[in-house]
Amino acid sequence: MVESESKLKQSKLQRHPRLIWRRFVRLWPFAAWLLILGVVIWLYAGTVRYGSITGVVETVAEEVAPIETTRLLSLDVSLGQQVVAGDVIARMDTSLLDATLAVEEASALDVAQNITQYQESILRMARQFEQAISDNQADYLQEKRQEAEVAAELVELQKELKRRERLLERKLIREEDVNILRPQIAALETSAKAYPEIVEAYRQRVEVARKEYVDMRTWLELEEGEDISAAIRRKRQASQVILESATQHRKIQREGYVLKASCDGEVSRVFHSPGEVIAAGDPVVRIVSRRAEYVVGFLQESQLADIQPGQKVKIWGKGARQTMQTHGIVQSIAPEVQGLPGRLSPLGGAVRGRRMMLRFIEPHRFIPGQTVEILIERPTWLQWLDRQIGRLIHRTQETGEKTPDAL
């Protein structure tokens, strides 16, 4: 009984708050070291491995330049001026182009008149071919008719000669009545023998005329069943379209001598002054968009595994972290490691890494070309632990070692 009471008193004494506090004070270095270790791991996970990355706000710029070498007549904007798409930036000298356009318009009128005369001559020639075919056809038919008449007359005279010869045998007529027909028959026989060649010659003339007419239609590129007049009108309209297109081209070219802005922005640089001769493609004015939507980041080799596309990041204004900050998302990362700008290294020298493109997802006040710092959002403990395990597995596979079962 006394022993149980003693144990009860000893148990209450061990749970006394004062003894518990003294025990904690005696063991506090161990708890402090655990706390310090947790802070170190937290700082390592959030700061050392996921530090800042240098980037530059992308500049969307337009360099307004002429497409032909000419003299700058006037400059309608000034440095820092805001412009919108369609605003006139500069005007180029069009005196030479105007002179060329006037000469070409005069030449076009002259060509149009020549084309009209040419088409009239073609029409007359076509009419002549048609008339030649008609005349030769008529002559051919006339010779064919005369050939038939001679043949018919010869047949009748030969019949009459035979009849008279029978009458002469019977002494019913005189011999002179028979002999008078013989010269006529001989002449008709000679004509009948010559007519086939004459008729063939006329037929060939008809064929030649028709062939020339077909060749003319082929040369004029006439469609099947198309009339000559309709074809000439069609070709004349096509010629007019070509001339009008050439004139319209010159007018469009003249409009190109007025340089206009194709996007909204602000004039950041003026390269030339009125009166200077500007070469084709040489920019006159540089316009920078006021709205920056992307940041070009520079991911160093030591940070290749820290960022993935689609990851959210924080963007700080360099030297103004308290006033300029926003969030972005990683849009894409270049597939290769290459040399990066030297200013990325605080010690100077060559720096290698990958370029990445980030897109702003919140309103911001950054301006194009501004240098910024990109901070990776601190991961959760589970995410950080998962990444560390993944890196360890990856390194083990590269060295050919097997992953421990404990992992």
Side-chain angles (χ1 to χ4, degrees), residues 188-221:
L188 290 175
E189 288 178 348
T190 302
S191 298
K193 292 180 180 179
Y195 260 111
E197 295 182 0
I198 297 174
V199 172
E200 179 63 21
Y202 276 99
R203 189 191 65 80
Q204 291 181 359
R205 290 176 61 182
V206 173
E207 292 298 326
V208 170
R210 287 177 176 174
K211 183 179 182 303
E212 291 177 349
Y213 184 74
V214 171
D215 292 341
M216 183 197 64
R217 290 181 63 89
T218 303
W219 172 59
L220 293 176
E221 298 179 353

Side-chain angles (χ1 to χ4, degrees), residues 40-51 376-379 384:
V40 169
I41 294 176
W42 181 78
L43 291 177
Y44 175 80
T47 304
V48 178
R49 293 297 300 168
Y50 298 90
I376 309 304
E377 293 291 328
R378 183 175 289 109
W384 178 82

Side-chain angles (χ1 to χ4, degrees), residues 78-213:
S78 58
L79 185 65
Q81 180 177 340
Q82 295 184 356
V83 297
V84 297
D87 285 354
V88 176
I89 302 300
R91 301 177 188 273
M92 314 304 292
D93 187 9
T94 60
S95 56
L96 294 178
L97 182 62
D98 293 339
T100 304
L101 181 60
V103 171
E104 291 185 353
E105 289 179 347
S107 300
L109 293 176
D110 186 44
V111 170
Q113 294 177 356
N114 293 335
I115 289 176
T116 301
Q117 296 175 359
Y118 170 75
Q119 291 171 344
E120 291 176 354
S121 64
I122 291 296
L123 185 60
R124 286 195 301 269
M125 183 176 64
R127 295 291 181 258
Q128 290 174 359
F129 278 121
E130 293 174 353
Q131 186 64 37
I133 294 174
S134 178
D135 294 343
N136 290 328
Q137 183 71 22
D139 294 340
Y140 171 71
L141 294 176
Q142 178 67 22
E143 293 298 325
K144 288 282 290 184
R145 184 182 63 80
Q146 290 180 0
E147 181 184 19
E149 290 178 354
V150 169
E153 186 178 359
L154 178 60
V155 170
E156 294 299 327
L157 286 177
Q158 289 175 345
K159 290 180 180 179
E160 181 64 19
L161 178 62
K162 291 179 179 180
R163 188 184 68 82
R164 289 187 182 187
E165 287 178 346
R166 289 194 299 270
L167 292 176
L168 180 62
E169 291 176 355
R170 295 168 60 184
K171 305 299 182 178
L172 297 178
I173 60 174
R174 296 177 300 176
E175 186 175 357
E176 290 80 3
D177 294 333
V178 176
N179 294 332
I180 195 171
L181 294 178
R182 296 185 188 280
Q184 298 180 16
I185 292 174
L188 290 175
E189 288 178 348
T190 302
S191 298
K193 292 180 180 179
Y195 260 111
E197 295 182 0
I198 297 174
V199 172
E200 179 63 21
Y202 276 99
R203 189 191 65 80
Q204 291 181 359
R205 290 176 61 182
V206 173
E207 292 298 326
V208 170
R210 287 177 176 174
K211 183 179 182 303
E212 291 177 349
Y213 184 74

Side-chain angles (χ1 to χ4, degrees), residues 27 36 59 70 78 126 132 180 192 223 228 237 252 267 280 302 362:
L27 298 175
I36 292 173
T59 300
T70 183
S78 58
I180 195 171
E223 298 177 356
I228 295 290
Q237 292 174 356
I252 294 175
V267 178
S302 60
E362 295 177 355

Side-chain angles (χ1 to χ4, degrees), residues 28 31 41 118 132 141 153 227-228 265 279 288 290 292 304 360 365 369:
W28 77 267
I41 294 176
Y118 170 75
L141 294 176
E153 186 178 359
D227 182 67
I228 295 290
V288 176
R290 297 189 300 268
L304 295 182
F360 289 108
R365 294 182 297 161

Side-chain angles (χ1 to χ4, degrees), residues 147-367:
E147 181 184 19
E149 290 178 354
V150 169
E153 186 178 359
L154 178 60
V155 170
E156 294 299 327
L157 286 177
Q158 289 175 345
K159 290 180 180 179
E160 181 64 19
L161 178 62
K162 291 179 179 180
R163 188 184 68 82
R164 289 187 182 187
E165 287 178 346
R166 289 194 299 270
L167 292 176
L168 180 62
E169 291 176 355
R170 295 168 60 184
K171 305 299 182 178
L172 297 178
I173 60 174
R174 296 177 300 176
E175 186 175 357
E176 290 80 3
D177 294 333
V178 176
N179 294 332
I180 195 171
L181 294 178
R182 296 185 188 280
Q184 298 180 16
I185 292 174
L188 290 175
E189 288 178 348
T190 302
S191 298
K193 292 180 180 179
Y195 260 111
E197 295 182 0
I198 297 174
V199 172
E200 179 63 21
Y202 276 99
R203 189 191 65 80
Q204 291 181 359
R205 290 176 61 182
V206 173
E207 292 298 326
V208 170
R210 287 177 176 174
K211 183 179 182 303
E212 291 177 349
Y213 184 74
V214 171
D215 292 341
M216 183 197 64
R217 290 181 63 89
T218 303
W219 172 59
L220 293 176
E221 298 179 353
L222 301 182
E223 298 177 356
E224 185 67 25
E226 186 178 18
D227 182 67
I228 295 290
S229 300
I232 291 177
R233 287 194 299 270
R234 176 170 58 83
K235 287 185 174 295
R236 182 174 182 177
Q237 292 174 356
S239 300
Q240 289 177 348
V241 169
I242 293 174
L243 294 174
E244 291 175 357
S245 298
T247 304
Q248 186 66 23
H249 172 72
R250 285 297 184 184
K251 291 181 179 179
I252 294 175
Q253 184 181 4
R254 190 179 188 281
E255 293 177 356
Y257 277 57
V258 179
L259 307 183
K260 297 181 180 180
S262 60
C263 62
D264 300 348
E266 185 174 345
V267 178
S268 65
R269 292 194 64 182
V270 177
F271 299 99
H272 298 282
S273 302
E276 297 182 17
V277 176
I278 312 300
D282 189 10
V284 177
V285 170
R286 177 183 173 88
I287 299 176
V288 176
S289 175
R290 297 189 300 268
R291 180 179 177 83
E293 298 182 356
Y294 294 92
V295 173
V296 180
F298 305 99
L299 191 63
Q300 300 184 28
E301 286 184 297
S302 60
Q303 303 166 316
L304 295 182
D306 292 346
I307 298 181
Q308 300 296 328
Q311 189 170 347
K312 188 177 179 181
V313 298
K314 182 178 292 185
I315 302 173
W316 296 82
K318 194 174 182 67
R321 296 189 177 184
Q322 300 299 324
T323 57
M324 298 183 67
Q325 59 177 313
T326 185
H327 287 86
I329 189 170
V330 179
Q331 194 83 6
S332 61
I333 301 177
E336 61 176 341
V337 176
Q338 57 183 350
L340 300 178
R343 69 173 182 270
L344 300 182
S345 174
L347 301 178
V351 178
R352 294 180 57 80
R354 300 170 68 185
R355 293 177 183 267
M356 63 179 180
M357 186 69 69
L358 297 88
R359 177 172 54 85
F360 289 108
I361 58 176
E362 295 177 355
H364 63 87
R365 294 182 297 161
F366 296 103
I367 62 176

